[in-house]
Amino acid sequence: MKLWGGRFESGPSEVFQRFSWSLHFDRRLFAADILGSQAYARALARVGILQDSEAQAICDALASIPEPPADAPDEDIHTYVIRLLKVNAGALADKIHTGRSRNEQVSLDTRLWLRGEIDRTTALLRGLMASLLDFAGKHTDTIVAGYTHVRRAQPVTWAHYLLAYFEMFARDHQRLLQARARVNLMPLGSGALAGSGFPVDREGLAGELGFDGVTLNSMDVSADRDWALDYLSAASFCAIHLSRLAEDWIFYSSDEFGWLDLGDGVTSGSSLMPQKKNPDSLELIRGKCGRIFGSFTSLFTTMKGLPMTYNRDMQEDKEPLFDAVDQLTLSLEMTRGVVETTTLRPAPPLQAAEDGWLVATDLAEALSRAGVPFHQAHQLVGRLVLESVSQNRKPSEWTGEALHAFDPRFSPEMARFMNPAEGMKTRTAPGGTAPATVRAALAAAHSRLESMS
Ligand code: ARG
């Protein structure tokens, strides 16, 4: 069935059908299309186009429509629903499209569907954040090497490292909620582009369908998909963070690092090499990120330069949006699965923190606290490191006396800063890695997470 026909002498060609029909993917909007159509039937009754009993009959008929079968011969989900409505409700169904266009219907359906998916995404994100906090709770005093330029930089606690990701995901959560606010506006009553010729109660429809408000310009409704791009943008940020965590952990679980032990359930073996335990889950999380960016780029590019208002190009919004939702939600679930089954072996990262002169900054700061101007302290510790490296001498091999003998500006008691746990205690400014500060940040993160749900 087609929703037009009077104007045409022949139907679409076979190739045009295959090329343009979208039911095989927009079937995902089925539930939203039914809900929206029921609400619209009630709205039509309120303006006298339908009797109350007719609206009720239409709603019942809509409720009994099954999911489209694989071989449904319809252009898109809206056409399918109308065809079945006619089967179930007869001529009454001819009134449902009064003043309504598929252009607003597709916006409504996609918004309804996406709103639900945003709620699912944010719930999964909060679950992941909770698992990061659990892991952090076990390691508020576990020292690891922190890196810049993939070079050992300064000691931090593992909890502090995990809380960095908590912050990134908290911002992603915020961005998703901001996207939700722009998605959750009710477009019905916009017609094809010029607005409805019937005084439908748009606010009432919005309230009934759980929207926060109504869209304010009918041409804007037909023309734009920026709210879908808002989701794709937030999804891309979140995917970046997942991908970077995956990248870290692929390295941290390698033989070279030996910090992390990934659970058997999230790793794969090799068909040839018996010893292998590969981090495929993390690699796929990293890989999905590229795919999500692809969806983001795809829709951005589709929208660029489209003339006002609706153009059929916009049907290309759905597959990237659906795929991004699928890949992001799966990646969030997978990442949580990895976090929950990963353990940290404390010895290798501690050794990395002890051996690599990560305490150099702590020493320079101890000197400057004792009155040595920082640039001179920096210079002095630099010389100490140079000398130690050439003698292959680790920080722990310096006694207080040896240090004082190296340069009298070192007091013997400064040797305690050769232990990475010492300097760390000084980093108490909010946001720093002092274990007491991290414990407070962790407690705060728990209550922030609580208030997000
Ligand atoms: N399947 C179309 C889409 O997804 C529905 C809107 C069709 N509107 C039209 N004027 N052809 O965009």
Side-chain angles (χ1 to χ4, degrees):
M1 193 203 80
K2 290 192 298 303
L3 297 178
W4 60 88
R7 162 78 178 76
F8 289 80
E9 288 176 353
S10 67
S13 76
E14 187 274 330
V15 62
F16 180 52
Q17 284 193 19
R18 265 194 291 127
F19 184 63
S20 63
W21 288 21
S22 57
L23 184 61
H24 59 286
F25 56 85
D26 66 19
R27 55 190 303 127
R28 284 180 82 153
L29 303 178
F30 172 70
D33 203 76
I34 297 287
L35 263 183
S37 297
Q38 289 173 326
Y40 195 65
R42 286 191 286 268
L44 286 178
R46 288 197 290 274
V47 294
I49 299 285
L50 290 172
Q51 308 281 319
D52 284 344
S53 60
E54 290 176 327
Q56 190 53 52
I58 286 186
C59 287
D60 294 345
L62 283 164
S64 65
I65 296 175
E67 292 262 354
D71 60 351
D74 306 283
E75 177 187 327
D76 61 17
I77 190 62
H78 325 295
T79 322
Y80 166 78
V81 168
I82 297 274
R83 178 171 67 84
L84 270 283
L85 182 62
K86 287 191 194 224
V87 171
N88 289 355
L92 201 51
D94 286 339
K95 286 191 176 173
I96 184 70
H97 224 56
T98 311
R100 187 176 69 161
S101 154
R102 276 186 303 160
N103 294 351
E104 55 183 339
Q105 210 181 340
V106 73
S107 173
L108 176 89
D109 292 4
T110 312
R111 287 168 184 269
L112 272 176
W113 174 83
L114 185 55
R115 179 180 78 191
E117 293 300 321
I118 291 175
D119 292 345
R120 199 163 68 85
T121 310
T122 49
L124 288 167
L125 189 53
R126 289 192 299 273
L128 169 61
M129 291 161 83
S131 68
L132 287 174
L133 295 187
D134 284 347
F135 199 3
K138 295 180 188 134
H139 292 287
T140 51
D141 294 275
T142 307
I143 294 173
V144 304
Y147 293 80
T148 63
H149 312 269
V150 203
R151 303 290 183 272
R152 291 181 204 171
Q154 288 186 276
V156 293
T157 63
W158 182 245
H160 194 56
Y161 163 86
L162 292 174
L163 284 172
Y165 278 103
F166 180 89
E167 292 304 324
M168 298 180 213
F169 292 130
R171 288 193 296 277
D172 294 336
H173 194 268
Q174 214 171 48
R175 275 184 280 265
L176 283 162
L177 293 185
Q178 287 162 352
R180 191 189 197 280
R182 286 189 282 269
V183 166
N184 201 29
L185 297 173
M186 206 291 301
L188 286 185
S190 299
L193 78 159
S196 176
F198 302 85
V200 285
D201 174 12
R202 301 192 61 218
E203 294 288 349
L205 269 168
E208 200 177 323
L209 291 168
F211 285 100
D212 298 329
V214 300
T215 56
L216 298 179
N217 182 290
S218 62
M219 293 181 82
D220 175 40
V221 165
S222 288
D224 212 354
R225 294 290 181 268
D226 61 350
W227 43 269
L229 290 168
D230 276 331
Y231 178 84
L232 288 169
S233 153
S236 299
F237 277 111
C238 186
I240 292 179
H241 296 143
L242 294 172
S243 170
R244 293 187 66 179
L245 184 139
E247 168 76 2
D248 281 353
W249 290 27
I250 289 166
F251 273 99
Y252 294 165
S253 62
S254 67
D255 292 336
E256 284 67 22
F257 274 81
W259 295 13
L260 293 179
D261 198 12
L262 303 176
D264 281 0
V266 300
T267 47
S268 314
S270 154
S271 60
L272 182 79
M273 301 166 281
Q275 84 284 12
K276 295 278 264 168
K277 183 174 169 187
N278 292 327
D280 293 30
S281 53
L282 291 167
E283 289 164 341
L284 276 167
I285 291 163
R286 193 175 54 186
K288 302 285 188 191
C289 178
R291 193 161 154 188
I292 292 167
F293 287 3
S295 295
F296 170 83
T297 311
S298 167
L299 185 53
F300 258 94
T301 313
T302 298
M303 296 307 295
K304 175 189 173 300
L306 286 189
M308 288 285 268
T309 51
Y310 179 82
N311 301 269
R312 189 65 178 272
D313 316 42
M314 289 160 70
Q315 179 173 295
E316 296 294 322
D317 63 351
K318 282 171 216 63
E319 284 163 294
L321 183 62
F322 293 169
D323 192 58
V325 165
D326 289 345
Q327 300 317 316
L328 181 64
T329 50
L330 255 177
S331 299
L332 285 166
E333 254 188 273
M334 187 70 257
T335 308
R336 182 177 186 175
V338 173
V339 172
E340 284 176 349
T341 55
T342 295
T343 51
L344 179 74
R345 299 185 197 96
L350 176 62
Q351 198 182 353
E354 283 173 347
D355 293 354
W357 282 99
L358 286 83
V359 295
T361 310
D362 298 339
L363 269 178
E365 289 181 358
L367 284 166
S368 65
R369 261 181 235 112
V372 182
F374 185 75
H375 281 158
Q376 291 169 28
H378 188 289
Q379 193 74 19
L380 174 52
V381 177
R383 277 203 295 113
L384 180 78
V385 173
L386 181 65
E387 169 126 343
S388 304
V389 168
S390 68
Q391 293 171 9
N392 206 11
R393 193 166 172 182
K394 293 177 183 170
S396 58
E397 288 162 11
W398 283 92
T399 61
E401 294 68 47
L403 206 55
H404 189 64
F406 179 83
D407 190 295
R409 284 173 290 178
F410 283 118
S411 66
E413 70 86 32
M414 285 179 191
R416 73 192 163 91
F417 285 105
M418 295 301 188
N419 176 353
E422 276 306 305
M424 184 174 279
K425 289 182 203 150
T426 65
R427 310 203 172 279
T428 53
T433 195
T437 305
V438 172
R439 265 191 287 276
L442 181 58
H446 272 291
S447 40
R448 283 162 61 201
L449 183 58
E450 201 99 315
S451 69
M452 283 179 203
S453 1

